[in-house]
Amino acid sequence: MASFGFRGTRIELGPGESALDALDRVGIPLKSGCRSGVCGACIVRVTKGTVPADARRGIAPVLTAQGAAFACCLRPTADLELDDLDGGLEHRARIVALETIGQDVLRMRLACEGNFDYTPGQYVVLQRDDGLERSYSLASLPGDATLELHVRRTIGGAMSSWLFDGARPGDGVGLRGPLGTCCYTPERQDGPLVLVGAGTGLAPLFGILRDALNRGHTGPIQLFHGARDTNGLYYRAELLAIASAASNVTVRGCVLEGPTPDPSVRVAPLGDAVASVFPNLAGCRVFLCGDGSLVRSLKRRFFLAGAASRDLLADPFDAAALPARKIAAGPCN
Amino acid sequence: MTQLFERLGGAPAVDAAVDLFYRRMLADPRVAHFFEDTDMDAQIAKQRAFLTMAFGGPHSYTGRDMRAAHAPLVARGLDDLHVDVVIEQLGASLAELGVDAATIAEVAVIAESVRADVLGR
């Protein structure tokens, strides 16, 4: 009978037992829910061995590429090594550059020790050496020399204050990741993509947009960047450069407070700006990134406007907390 | 897999129905307030699990699970009317997908079977 290692223990599987059954039997706690390969509570990572197809049906491709599997459906016929979904993803990195790229927006470039493979749109947990941790989405592409993160200065923010005022190139940090599933997948490549970002929510979209183009997306891509006022619409030149080089890309800025010297920037809330172009979002794949409560409310609004739940990928930024991650895409979305 | 689940089309049928059903719930003023502060992903996963059960598919719900999960809602006024709405909207979603009335009735019987546990009776 097959066995698996998990959290330092080797467990033999009994006949017909799933990994979850076996863990329950030996008293190792693993969260579970439906126990039927639907809810995603018991997803683990297979770090050595092959994942049987029926143990990963419905899990986001970004996660299955990292070995994700439902413990409740995992009945392997050969030995495996398992880890928690976000276990064993610790890295060390060095700050290479810190540059202001907009009002209260800092671009941080990091060089990771060793190989760091990720899909654009994923995020990392940045760890200062005293243990302070915050999550930031990746704005870079895996082929780039460094990892790129965008940081907003938050008033009284412990991590952002350090990054803006204390951190220096050469400083070492810890990184956990990559985590998250707000990523482009190369299917339905002639379909419409809608990228919606508030403030530094542009960071993962900047990676996702270029990733989609690099992977041959031919359908129309519309990117909406929202900010309080025009000072908050950073990276405008970079976005317009991408739009002028790719005929299927349109970028739109919108602000809550005018005036806007640029006539192509609307004064409108982000959700309204999207709704005026897409009153119905059926058939669109939507990527939604930025402030957590705005993202959650727009996600609901776009769902009610016809976007399929599996086509609504969100990266909600929550203050001083790790963002809830979406475990599964596709059937379990 | 039960015969009913197979007849309905299995997991792909759940996929097709869950968005329709959940949109109906969010847009129905009789029940929408129960979903106000909920995380959409978590809710979709729960609805997917519920539909799988109602379609005769695999699940591990116990009466205690249903009771415990819905107790906070019962405290907020969840009652027979709301369970009626769920069964009604489930039927309407299936009708929209072209499922025949007899099969819808079978699904309704399964959904009905958890009423007492959901309402903590």
Side-chain angles (χ1 to χ4, degrees):
Chain A
M1 293 257 59
S3 70
F4 63 92
F6 184 65
R7 296 187 192 159
T9 310
R10 183 119 225 114
I11 299 144
E12 280 274 337
L13 282 157
E17 262 193 333
S18 68
L20 180 63
D21 294 333
L23 290 172
D24 287 346
R25 174 170 51 79
V26 304
I28 294 180
L30 182 71
K31 269 176 74 171
S32 68
C34 70
R35 309 181 75 100
S36 327
V38 174
C39 73
C42 70
I43 293 185
V44 291
R45 227 159 40 91
V46 175
T47 54
K48 254 196 218 133
T50 331
V51 183
D54 61 358
R56 56 181 157 84
R57 191 170 301 120
I59 300 180
V62 169
L63 292 181
T64 57
Q66 292 178 294
F70 293 113
C72 62
C73 301
L74 194 50
R75 293 180 175 82
T77 48
D79 290 351
L80 298 178
E81 291 301 314
L82 302 186
D83 201 344
D84 292 290
L85 183 60
D86 52 7
L89 297 173
E90 318 280 333
H91 297 83
R92 287 296 299 172
R94 202 174 17 92
I95 298 177
V96 170
L98 295 157
E99 305 146 283
T100 306
I101 55 173
Q103 187 174 64
D104 295 330
V105 179
L106 186 71
R107 176 176 58 208
M108 176 165 61
R109 297 199 192 276
L110 297 169
C112 197
E113 271 162 44
N115 196 32
F116 188 83
D117 202 17
Y118 62 97
T119 307
Q122 289 193 289
Y123 67 93
V124 293
V125 179
L126 186 75
Q127 298 161 322
R128 197 169 63 180
D129 286 343
D130 67 349
L132 183 68
E133 289 191 341
R134 294 291 184 269
S135 303
Y136 294 98
S137 299
L138 292 154
S140 43
L141 301 176
D144 294 348
T146 54
L147 305 179
E148 176 179 336
L149 310 180
H150 298 174
V151 182
R152 163 173 304 291
R153 183 195 281 280
T154 58
I155 300 174
M159 183 68 85
S160 65
S161 300
W162 175 61
L163 291 173
F164 271 81
D165 305 325
R168 293 283 175 269
D171 286 351
V173 291
L175 281 185
R176 195 164 77 242
L179 301 165
T181 56
C182 186
C183 305
Y184 177 77
T185 48
E187 22 116 5
R188 292 175 287 156
Q189 293 202 290
D190 52 0
L193 301 184
V194 183
L195 279 50
V196 182
T200 47
L202 181 64
L205 297 182
F206 192 63
I208 291 166
L209 170 63
R210 294 176 301 147
D211 190 37
L213 291 170
N214 288 346
R215 291 163 86 173
H217 194 86
T218 52
I221 306 175
Q222 304 237 19
L223 185 150
F224 296 80
H225 186 201
R228 170 160 304 283
D229 56 39
T230 50
N231 290 324
L233 294 180
Y234 71 96
Y235 258 26
R236 191 127 176 87
E238 284 82 349
L239 291 176
L240 292 173
I242 295 173
S244 64
S247 60
N248 57 331
V249 175
T250 312
V251 303
R252 300 166 192 275
C254 59
V255 296
L256 293 174
E257 291 164 15
T260 80
D262 182 345
S264 74
V265 174
R266 285 188 58 167
V267 181
L270 190 50
D272 292 355
V274 176
S276 71
V277 179
F278 294 98
N280 187 323
L281 283 162
C284 296
R285 234 185 311 170
V286 184
F287 299 84
L288 187 47
C289 311
D291 170 73
S293 69
L294 177 64
V295 160
R296 279 184 286 276
S297 105
L298 287 184
K299 194 158 100 165
R300 176 174 295 218
R301 179 174 177 180
F302 294 158
F303 174 66
L304 289 171
S309 59
R310 81 173 65 195
D311 285 341
L312 269 169
L313 299 184
D315 186 4
F317 296 179
D318 288 302
L322 301 185
R325 62 171 184 274
K326 182 177 209 154
I327 297 293
C332 280
N333 226 17
Chain B
M1 224 192 327
T2 68
Q3 219 226 28
L4 172 63
F5 194 55
E6 239 168 285
R7 249 187 297 134
L8 277 164
V14 173
D15 294 345
V18 71
D19 279 2
L20 290 181
F21 172 67
Y22 191 54
R23 253 184 227 117
R24 282 174 169 276
M25 297 293 280
L26 288 184
D28 189 323
R30 297 169 294 177
V31 292
H33 56 282
F34 288 111
F35 299 101
E36 238 147 58
D37 290 316
T38 59
D39 171 76
M40 207 181 99
D41 286 348
Q43 271 305 316
I44 291 274
K46 283 182 194 162
Q47 300 311 336
R48 188 182 297 279
F50 167 63
L51 290 188
T52 305
M53 179 206 70
F55 289 10
H59 73 94
S60 323
Y61 287 126
T62 64
R64 243 185 69 195
D65 293 337
M66 296 297 264
R67 238 163 249 274
H70 292 91
L73 300 185
V74 171
R76 283 169 55 198
L78 189 77
D79 69 20
D80 285 298
L81 164 68
H82 307 111
V83 175
D84 292 343
V85 170
V86 167
I87 297 177
E88 174 196 317
Q89 295 293 18
L90 187 48
S93 305
L94 290 174
E96 216 180 306
L97 291 170
V99 177
D100 64 278
T103 307
I104 291 177
E106 287 182 62
V107 170
V109 164
I110 300 178
E112 180 65 44
S113 71
V114 302
R115 179 187 294 264
D117 286 324
V118 163
L119 296 179
R121 296 192 184 136

